[in-house]
Amino acid sequence: MCGCVGFNAPRLSRLRMLDLSGCPLADKGLLAIAGCCRSLRMLSLAGCEDLTDASVLPLIRSNKHLSVLNLERATQLSNKAALALAAGCTKLSSLNLSQLYKIDDEGIAALCFHCRKLQALNISGLRFVTEGALIHIVQQLQVYYIIISLYHIEEGFGSSRWPFHFYSYFYTHKAPINCQLDNFCIHL
């Protein structure tokens, strides 16, 4: 992949949309893409499980105009990726972070603070996200579509984590969130 990308670098510099979903892409290949693709608006790296922060961060930094980004199941990515997105890609309108197990409340809070144009957000399967992240989302964003699937929640219910029985939830900003959780109800 790396050699092929370098061969057509001038043409790739004008590329606006790139879908590499499910490609067996390693850091070396993505670094080559980051070196020549600087005008991306839409990018999907869904299922690219071998990619790490080492290659995704340069790609994010070189594509400040990203508006749609799908990182679903790029499971090696950490809060560093979320913080880089928050700092550099403030024009994001749709972001899929599903199953990025290393992202927590810090990453979500930074995205909510800096990426104010987000309208669609998928944070399903983020194991270290608590209700604190949900509060950031509701207070700081005008999100019209959100998918949340939280496995655990930490605060307010004893010292140990407990299963958060709240799997897929679709939220429209036009109505308040009312979520029934067994015998507990959240109103945000």
Side-chain angles (χ1 to χ4, degrees):
M1 177 79 181
C2 186
C4 295
V5 170
F7 182 74
N8 286 320
R11 283 192 171 171
L12 290 175
S13 68
R14 295 185 303 253
L15 193 64
R16 299 285 187 262
M17 298 172 55
L18 182 60
D19 186 349
L20 296 169
S21 300
C23 289
L25 187 62
D27 284 340
K28 187 176 181 181
L30 193 62
L31 284 169
I33 292 169
C36 59
C37 293
R38 299 188 179 276
S39 301
L40 292 175
R41 302 293 189 266
M42 303 167 101
L43 174 64
S44 180
L45 299 173
C48 296
E49 297 176 353
D50 295 330
L51 296 178
T52 68
D53 292 332
S55 63
V56 173
L57 295 180
L59 184 68
I60 290 169
R61 289 182 187 126
S62 66
N63 286 280
K64 303 267 185 210
H65 298 287
L66 276 173
S67 62
V68 177
L69 180 60
N70 184 353
L71 297 174
E72 178 182 3
R73 291 178 291 118
T75 55
Q76 300 300 316
L77 300 182
S78 71
N79 261 352
K80 290 180 183 178
L83 295 173
L85 281 169
C89 295
T90 58
K91 296 180 182 183
L92 280 173
S93 62
S94 177
L95 179 60
N96 186 342
L97 300 175
S98 177
Q99 299 176 37
L100 298 187
Y101 306 122
K102 298 177 183 179
I103 292 182
D104 61 21
D105 286 355
E106 177 188 13
I108 299 301
L111 287 164
C112 290
F113 185 76
H114 294 287
C115 300
R116 297 296 179 110
K117 295 183 180 184
L118 270 175
Q119 294 180 356
L121 179 63
N122 184 339
I123 57 169
S124 61
L126 274 65
R127 294 178 180 165
F128 298 106
V129 168
T130 68
E131 75 274 8
L134 298 178
I135 291 168
H136 283 291
I137 291 167
V138 172
Q139 290 179 344
Q140 296 179 3
L141 296 177
Q142 297 292 317
V143 177
Y144 293 96
Y145 180 79
I146 186 169
I147 300 175
I148 303 168
S149 174
L150 300 176
Y151 295 105
H152 296 88
I153 199 164
E154 287 187 48
E155 299 174 23
F157 297 94
S159 59
S160 64
R161 291 176 169 242
W162 62 282
F164 191 49
H165 302 289
F166 178 46
Y167 294 101
S168 289
Y169 183 76
F170 299 92
Y171 165 63
T172 175
H173 192 70
K174 297 174 185 171
I177 299 177
N178 287 311
C179 311
Q180 186 67 40
L181 307 175
D182 295 336
N183 295 323
F184 176 73
C185 190
I186 293 178
H187 298 280
L188 299 173

